[in-house]
């Protein structure tokens, strides 16, 4: 494809950006990009695909490139300024995703929590029965020009999902988050209402969410949940140490029995949403059930490993509701073990706005350890410290340092859950090295 343009990604290691880069690469396009030099969990697939990754420099931009910029960067970023000065074809990440999905039966997943888990499950299930392109918020993406479905994560941050006009949209929940952008919960609901108006075929919502219940749409709205009033209802639910199983009723009629190798009530709800979309697309219950059984989970979503006599779980949870869901899943799978939480707050603004929620959710662990606040690329300080959270916890709150994870060595035959959206994996690696007798790095 000598005459085809190079797609240049500014911030290519971002979770959505890495996934989109993989999609275009799979479709035969030439892809390269730039980012910070620090290693991230998203860059492995990029490197395996021989996609060049450079340090930021305006010299990287060449005539004829199509530039896609990550939303973490402002217009004054050096490469974005250069791209605009050169009049290169330019898109923000969400703008290009909106353009890409027009060629497929598009299915989006929106919601304050559960987007990545549900998108990953939906992509896996549909990909087993038909050609499916997907873009998941754990950095995974797959492109196929002949795909029937395009499954993608629709992020509400700064109303970016308003670039999307999907055929189907799942909304898992509406909660107050991103206090650096949204004024209050009503502002969040208003954003979801605008997006609901853009759906073309059907909207699926969790029936128990009071904010979702407020929404209207120009297309049919289907609810999913555990109540008789839900259009897709889970009944005969059994939760065990190997996963969960349930039957699904559609308007009272049994449409299938499903087993999922996943834990926590939230994953039953996520699976219900997938059943609903698949039912409308006339995918057989037998095919669907078979695909559920082989799902391994999204990256950094309840990812589990055993070292020495300890079980270590890595999870992206960074909001009180997500911490509740992760600890609920851990209790289901390990009912007889002590659950130790290690949590890294992601942003100062979220910790300050939702402090009481973090306290309530973390107190569900048997013991809690904290790390310093990560601070995102968008904010580096705030009028709150990690001690403001530590002082309110009932069951711990000691602050761990990456060069001394030894306080965790007192636990045996227990579960340690590392949670956060920042660089919490480095603390996890340091602890694993201690368990394995290696020098901490």
């Amino acid at each position: 494809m000598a005459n085809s343009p190079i797609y240049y990604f500014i911030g290519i290691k971002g979770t959505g950006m890495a996934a989109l880069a993989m999609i275009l690469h799979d479709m035969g396009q030439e892809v390269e990009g730039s980012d910070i030099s620090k290693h991230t969990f998203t860059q492995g697939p990029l490197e395996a695909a021989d996609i060049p990754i450079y340090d930021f420099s305006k010299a990287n931009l060449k005539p004829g490139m199509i530039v896609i910029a990550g939303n973490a960067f402002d217009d004054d970023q050096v490469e974005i300024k250069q791209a605009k000065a050169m009049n290169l074809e330019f898109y923000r990440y969400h703008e290009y995703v909106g353009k890409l999905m027009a060629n497929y039966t598009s299915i989006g997943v929106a919601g304050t929590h559960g987007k990545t888990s549900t998108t990953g499950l939906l992509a896996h299930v549909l990909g087993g029965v038909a050609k499916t392109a997907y873009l998941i918020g754990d950095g995974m993406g797959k492109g196929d020009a002949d795909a029937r479905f395009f499954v993608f994560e629709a992020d509400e941050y700064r109303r970016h999902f308003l670039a999307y006009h999907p055929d189907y949209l799942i909304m898992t929940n509406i909660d107050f988050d991103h206090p650096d952008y949204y004024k209050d919960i009503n502002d969040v609901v208003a954003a979801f209402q605008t997006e609901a108006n853009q759906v073309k075929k059907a909207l699926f919502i969790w029936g128990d969410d009071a904010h979702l219940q407020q929404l209207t749409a120009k297309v049919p709205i289907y609810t999913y949940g555990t109540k008789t009033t839900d259009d897709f209802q889970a009944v005969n639910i059994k939760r065990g140490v190997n996963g969960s199983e349930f039957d699904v009723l559609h308007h009272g009629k049994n449409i299938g029995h499903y087993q999922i190798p996943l834990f926590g009530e939230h994953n039953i709800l996520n699976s219900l949403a997938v059943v609903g979309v698949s039912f409308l697309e006339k995918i057989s219950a037998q095919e669907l059930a078979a695909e559920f059984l082989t799902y391994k989970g999204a990256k950094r979503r309840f990812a589990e490993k055993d070292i020495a006599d300890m079980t270590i779980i890595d999870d992206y949870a960074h909001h009180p509701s997500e911490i509740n869901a992760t600890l609920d899943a851990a209790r289901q799978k390990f009912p007889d073990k002590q659950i130790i939480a290690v949590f890294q707050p992601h942003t100062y603004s979220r910790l300050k706005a939702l402090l009481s929620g973090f306290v309530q959710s973390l107190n569900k662990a048997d013991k809690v350890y904290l790390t310093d606040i990560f601070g995102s690329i968008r904010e580096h300080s705030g009028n709150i410290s990690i001690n403001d959270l530590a002082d309110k916890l009932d069951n711990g709150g000691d602050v761990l340092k990456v060069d001394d994870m030894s306080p965790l060595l007192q636990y045996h035959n227990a579960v340690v859950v590392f949670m956060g959206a920042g660089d919490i994996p480095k603390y996890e690696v340091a602890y694993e090295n201690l368990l394995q007798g290696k020098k901490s790095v």
Side-chain angles (χ1 to χ4, degrees):
M1 303 187 70
N3 297 321
S4 64
I6 294 173
Y7 285 81
Y8 186 84
F9 283 69
I10 300 174
I12 196 168
K13 294 184 190 178
T15 50
M17 290 283 280
L20 182 56
M22 289 303 300
I23 288 173
L24 292 177
H25 175 268
D26 287 348
M27 294 171 72
Q29 303 295 344
E30 189 172 350
V31 176
E32 53 189 62
S34 57
D35 215 313
I36 56 174
S37 56
K38 183 175 171 183
H39 189 276
T40 69
F41 72 93
T42 59
Q43 72 189 73
L46 298 172
E47 291 170 346
D50 293 324
I51 293 173
I53 304 174
Y54 308 112
D55 293 329
F56 294 126
S57 168
K58 64 181 183 181
N60 294 335
L61 281 300
K62 304 290 190 300
M65 281 181 164
I66 296 175
V67 177
I68 301 173
N71 291 322
F73 303 98
D74 295 330
D75 286 348
D76 59 0
Q77 195 266 357
V78 59
E79 291 182 335
I80 293 176
K81 286 170 69 174
Q82 180 69 9
K84 293 192 172 183
M86 294 172 66
N87 287 319
L88 298 178
E89 189 173 344
F90 180 90
Y91 300 90
R92 284 290 182 171
Y93 162 79
H94 56 287
E95 294 170 339
Y96 196 84
V97 174
K99 173 185 170 74
L100 185 66
M101 73 177 61
N103 304 315
Y104 309 95
T105 296
S106 54
I107 308 166
V109 181
T112 315
H113 323 293
K115 290 187 292 293
T116 297
S117 298
T118 308
T119 309
L121 180 60
L122 185 62
H124 172 83
V125 167
L126 294 182
V129 298
K131 285 187 177 181
T132 300
Y134 57 78
L135 191 159
I136 308 173
D138 64 355
M140 298 302 290
K142 178 184 177 184
D144 188 332
D146 299 322
R148 172 180 169 187
F149 298 112
F150 180 72
V151 175
F152 68 98
E153 194 166 322
D155 189 3
E156 77 279 6
Y157 184 63
R158 293 189 179 273
R159 287 175 163 79
H160 289 148
F161 61 2
L162 299 189
Y164 310 145
H165 293 70
D167 293 302
Y168 300 101
L169 186 64
I170 295 166
M171 290 185 174
T172 57
N173 44 58
I174 299 178
D175 209 342
F176 182 55
D177 197 8
H178 304 301
D180 58 324
Y181 172 75
Y182 286 107
K183 295 191 293 288
D184 52 30
I185 187 63
N186 294 327
D187 194 19
V188 182
V189 172
F192 276 81
Q193 178 59 70
T194 304
E195 177 60 14
N197 292 338
Q198 299 179 177
V199 179
K200 295 176 180 175
K201 289 185 178 178
L203 178 65
F204 292 84
I205 64 171
W206 176 33
D208 279 7
D209 190 296
H211 300 302
L212 287 173
Q213 292 284 354
Q214 297 177 34
L215 301 183
T216 59
K218 300 167 186 173
V219 296
I221 298 177
Y222 297 92
T223 61
Y224 62 89
T226 58
K227 294 189 167 58
T228 55
T229 50
D230 289 314
D231 297 300
F232 294 91
Q233 180 194 8
V235 297
N236 304 323
I237 297 170
K238 296 175 184 172
R239 291 176 54 182
V241 296
N242 295 313
S244 305
E245 60 180 291
F246 51 92
D247 295 315
V248 178
L249 304 182
H250 176 55
H251 296 161
K253 180 184 176 183
N254 192 319
I255 60 168
H257 178 78
Y258 302 96
Q259 292 176 271
I260 55 172
L262 303 170
F263 301 87
E265 182 188 19
H266 63 293
N267 275 314
I268 295 172
L269 296 172
N270 296 346
S271 302
L272 265 177
V274 172
V275 170
V277 172
S278 302
F279 182 82
L280 260 61
E281 280 293 307
K282 297 182 168 49
I283 293 169
S284 80
Q286 291 77 16
E287 285 182 298
L288 197 58
E291 294 302 328
F292 272 133
L293 287 173
T294 59
Y295 184 56
K296 298 292 192 289
K299 281 187 188 174
R300 298 216 55 226
R301 302 310 190 273
F302 209 77
E304 184 187 327
K305 67 176 72 169
D306 294 310
I307 298 179
D309 62 349
M310 299 296 291
T311 296
I312 298 169
I313 294 170
D314 175 41
D315 198 276
Y316 197 66
H318 56 283
H319 183 285
S321 297
E322 295 163 359
I323 293 169
N324 279 331
T326 299
L327 294 178
D328 173 52
R331 293 282 185 207
Q332 177 183 344
K333 186 163 189 185
F334 304 101
D336 302 322
K337 290 193 175 186
Q338 190 176 20
I339 308 293
I340 297 104
V342 181
F343 175 62
Q344 180 189 57
H346 188 223
T347 63
Y348 295 89
S349 56
R350 183 185 286 114
L351 182 60
K352 186 173 182 179
L354 306 177
L355 183 61
S356 63
F358 280 116
V359 172
Q360 290 170 7
S361 60
L362 287 167
N363 276 337
K364 293 180 179 177
D366 296 312
K367 180 74 176 177
V368 180
Y369 292 88
L370 303 169
T371 77
D372 287 324
I373 301 166
F374 175 68
S376 73
I377 200 167
R378 296 185 289 266
E379 57 174 42
H380 303 288
S381 62
N383 188 26
I384 193 167
S385 78
I386 193 63
N387 293 323
D388 293 310
L389 174 57
D391 292 345
K392 289 180 168 56
L393 292 171
D394 296 336
N395 48 5
D398 293 349
V399 180
L400 295 171
K401 300 298 181 183
V402 73
D403 57 359
D404 183 13
M405 299 296 287
S406 60
L408 295 181
L409 292 179
Q410 65 184 291
Y411 302 101
H412 298 282
N413 193 31
V415 179
V416 182
V417 186
F418 287 85
M419 293 179 286
D423 60 3
I424 187 77
K426 75 181 184 183
Y427 292 85
E428 184 181 337
V429 169
Y431 171 56
E432 290 171 4
N433 287 338
L434 281 183
L435 284 179
Q436 293 166 329
K438 297 177 183 176
K439 185 179 177 181
S440 183
V441 290

